[in-house]
Amino acid sequence: MVTAVAPANIAFIKYWGKRDEALRLPWNDSISMNLSEAYTTTTVEFSPRFTKDEVEGLEGEEVARVSKHLDRLRKLKGNALFAHVETKNTFPKGSGIASSASGFAALTLAAAKALDLSFDEKELSILARIGSGSACRSIPDGFVEWKVGESSEDSYAYSLYPSDYWDLCDVLVIVASSEKNISSTKGHEAATSSPFFHARVEGINERIEKVKEGLKKKDLGILGPAIEEEAINMHAVMMSQTPSLFYWSGKTMDIIQSVIQWRDEGLPVYFTIDAGPNVHLICEANNAQEVSRKVRILPNVESVVINKPAQGAHLV
Ligand code: PMV
């Protein structure tokens, strides 16, 4: 029986759209930060006692997706035993905080270890990616880059900087903890139907450079505008694809407008949003309490969680 923990990650440069559906190969490089308070803990045991895969904590299609991922690992081992899987998140599943990222990263590591497969970080990242794209970025530590690659073998994530590199915070503002209607897996499939999709991919390298420069210089004044522009750009693609996909709600917009106002008043904080209505506020640690205080008194905020950069997937 093996237990692994893996963090969710917030994308500074987003992965949206797949150039290979089955292998989950992206169109562009992406960059993220692992989140200290949003993580999945997964325990896996393979045993002849089980007559099918049993997955506690998930339902329906999700169980089938886990089983399919276990098949990939069983195939590599040449082992046909069924597994018992138990998985728990510290945050609401399916609300745009990447539960599939932390979930598939933790599952990949726990199952590989339970099968006694010795993979290095790159191999684990590739396998996690095939489970759920952004999961490959929850394997390495801290601040992470996922390279597009030319094929499955070289599309993986690696650490740009460790978690203690920069005291950046993600003040996660939960405005809706219910599950979203359309999964990101479905959403990715329609991404290229947006008339803006290819323009986004063509222009993304400039933003990637800005994000990298901001990280290198630990300069939020460079990083912040680039991640906001990136979030708006990706959501413009989502909204204009067919069928259109609106992950933002009115509550999301209220938070965005407050952030812009606080910044005008001198508080250095920037927003980004993944596949859901919740908003991630990026600021430096010395401002995190103030951001959190301001956000908590806004209407419609269900909860607020301050995340620090975190290590990647690990065994416990
Ligand atoms: O890995 P998926 O299928 O959950 O896709 C994640 C998509 C975004 O969260 C919107 C962007 C990203 O890069 O994490």
Side-chain angles (χ1 to χ4, degrees):
M1 204 188 285
V2 176
T3 301
V5 169
N9 65 72
I10 177 64
F12 292 164
I13 295 290
K14 319 282 189 185
Y15 144 61
W16 192 246
K18 285 175 266 189
R19 65 177 212 280
D20 184 305
E21 285 294 331
L23 290 171
R24 294 180 199 265
L25 294 174
W27 284 88
N28 56 271
D29 298 344
S30 55
I31 297 176
S32 60
M33 179 180 107
N34 289 334
L35 304 179
S36 62
E37 307 308 311
Y39 55 88
T40 301
T41 305
T42 300
T43 301
V44 179
E45 180 186 8
F46 290 92
S47 164
R49 300 198 316 281
F50 309 129
T51 52
K52 60 178 178 57
D53 288 328
E54 296 168 4
V55 185
E56 270 180 54
L58 296 178
E59 287 165 7
E61 273 180 34
E62 293 171 334
V63 175
R65 203 167 151 195
V66 165
S67 230
K68 204 167 160 192
H69 198 57
L70 292 173
D71 285 343
R72 292 181 189 113
L73 287 137
R74 281 187 281 245
K75 203 168 158 200
L76 291 169
K77 180 71 183 177
N79 176 333
L81 292 180
F82 288 113
H84 180 86
V85 177
E86 213 178 305
T87 185
K88 272 198 206 105
N89 294 328
T90 57
F91 56 97
K93 181 164 60 69
S95 55
I97 303 152
S99 62
S100 61
S102 52
F104 277 92
L107 179 70
T108 303
L109 179 59
K113 186 73 188 167
L115 286 169
D116 212 13
L117 287 159
S118 49
F119 292 135
D120 60 18
E121 184 181 278
K122 173 179 165 182
E123 290 165 321
L124 285 169
S125 179
I126 290 170
L127 271 165
R129 186 205 77 225
I130 300 171
S132 179
S134 56
C136 73
R137 295 191 313 239
S138 288
I139 297 284
D141 284 338
F143 299 88
V144 174
E145 179 171 33
W146 171 13
K147 291 304 258 181
V148 159
E150 298 203 335
S151 65
S152 184
E153 286 67 46
D154 57 5
S155 183
Y156 63 95
Y158 65 96
S159 183
L160 287 170
Y161 301 103
S163 54
D164 60 359
Y165 171 73
W166 186 11
D167 284 344
L168 210 57
C169 282
D170 174 352
V171 180
L172 172 55
V173 186
I174 300 185
V175 294
S177 52
S178 58
E179 285 210 34
K180 60 194 175 212
N181 302 330
I182 302 166
S183 68
S184 49
T185 299
K186 277 261 154 295
H188 279 288
E189 285 168 21
T192 52
S193 66
S194 163
F196 309 129
F197 180 80
H198 289 288
R200 162 175 163 72
V201 173
E202 273 161 35
I204 208 161
N205 281 344
E206 222 171 287
R207 268 199 305 281
I208 291 178
E209 287 317 311
K210 279 276 167 234
V211 165
K212 284 191 167 169
E213 188 190 340
L215 286 173
K216 187 170 180 195
K217 295 182 175 161
K218 300 187 191 174
D219 187 336
L220 189 60
I222 298 174
L223 180 75
I227 65 174
E228 272 190 7
E229 190 184 300
E230 168 64 2
I232 296 166
N233 189 295
M234 177 187 70
H235 283 272
V237 167
M238 290 166 158
M239 290 176 197
S240 56
Q241 59 191 54
T242 309
S244 44
L245 192 50
F246 294 98
Y247 282 129
W248 292 11
S249 71
K251 296 175 188 175
T252 312
M253 204 56 229
D254 291 344
I255 306 291
I256 291 176
Q257 272 162 346
S258 297
V259 168
I260 293 169
Q261 190 191 324
W262 298 336
R263 208 160 53 226
D264 285 349
E265 292 164 4
L267 184 64
V269 54
Y270 296 84
F271 65 84
T272 184
I273 303 151
D274 274 351
N278 301 312
V279 189
H280 298 252
L281 304 187
I282 309 299
C283 62
E284 289 189 272
N286 56 347
N287 287 317
Q289 289 302 337
E290 174 66 356
V291 169
S292 160
R293 192 189 61 75
K294 279 177 154 342
V295 117
R296 273 174 215 275
I297 51 179
L298 293 178
N300 298 319
V301 170
E302 285 185 18
S303 56
V304 179
V305 183
I306 301 179
N307 290 280
K308 296 184 175 125
Q311 70 174 125
H314 55 280
L315 297 167
V316 289

